[in-house]
Amino acid sequence: SDICDAGAMIKSLWTIAIACLPLAAMAQDATAPADEVTDEERCTELQAFAERVNPTLPTALDNVVEVFRVSVDCETKSVQYEKRLNVDRRSVPPGFAERQLAEHRAIHCGPEGLARLHGWTAIDVYFDATASRLATLVASPADCPETDGG
């Protein structure tokens, strides 16, 4: 399909959101339950995750998106995924960042999410094919809505 076709692009962007789940899950799988681990231990686990995954990157998530770097900042308790959309920025539909932010927060503020369960901030930084920044998505513990029962 033609990437400039709005319908095809929206379908691809939905695929991006779904395709990002495995990376989020890998980071979450790399971590033990929140109440059993100190911040220092969590940092060590996440740094080990980044060291394991970075040599395998870039990894295509679909025909448009690839993840090319994962970094961990223990001081700010954040994990950053850098992703490239292999398209011209003019073909990215309006509202891209808003839709992706909603998906990003749904993943990381979910019951097993990095922000909700572990208290860490998850950041996705999207670039276009020319390495120009398109969007920065942040899901911090403060971004996660309160839940019933804690």
Side-chain angles (χ1 to χ4, degrees):
S1 66
D2 182 1
I3 197 63
C4 293
D5 175 71
M9 185 63 174
I10 290 168
K11 183 177 178 185
S12 289
L13 294 176
W14 180 249
T15 302
I16 293 165
I18 300 303
C20 292
L21 289 172
L23 282 175
M26 286 190 323
Q28 291 160 9
D29 288 347
T31 60
D35 59 350
E36 299 176 9
V37 177
T38 67
D39 284 344
E40 185 177 330
E41 290 168 328
R42 175 83 57 228
C43 172
T44 300
E45 288 179 347
L46 289 167
Q47 285 177 324
F49 163 73
E51 288 172 13
R52 270 193 325 271
V53 76
N54 276 320
T56 70
L57 301 177
T59 297
L61 299 178
D62 63 15
N63 63 338
V64 177
V65 180
E66 66 183 17
V67 176
F68 65 93
R69 184 177 305 122
V70 177
S71 57
V72 175
D73 184 330
C74 295
E75 187 173 318
T76 62
K77 292 177 61 174
S78 62
V79 178
Q80 180 168 295
Y81 297 89
E82 293 180 48
K83 301 175 181 181
R84 183 174 14 258
L85 294 179
N86 291 311
V87 296
D88 184 294
R89 73 182 309 116
R90 293 172 293 192
S91 66
V92 177
F96 166 78
E98 293 79 8
R99 284 188 300 279
Q100 288 304 112
L101 180 59
E103 291 295 326
H104 180 74
R105 288 188 175 161
I107 292 166
H108 295 291
C109 288
E112 300 297 316
L114 200 58
R116 176 168 313 282
L117 185 63
H118 301 295
W120 279 62
T121 297
I123 304 166
D124 281 2
V125 182
Y126 283 91
F127 297 89
D128 68 8
T130 65
S132 294
R133 187 181 299 233
L134 288 171
T136 299
L137 314 177
V138 177
S140 71
D143 296 317
C144 300
E146 293 294 320
T147 59
D148 292 335

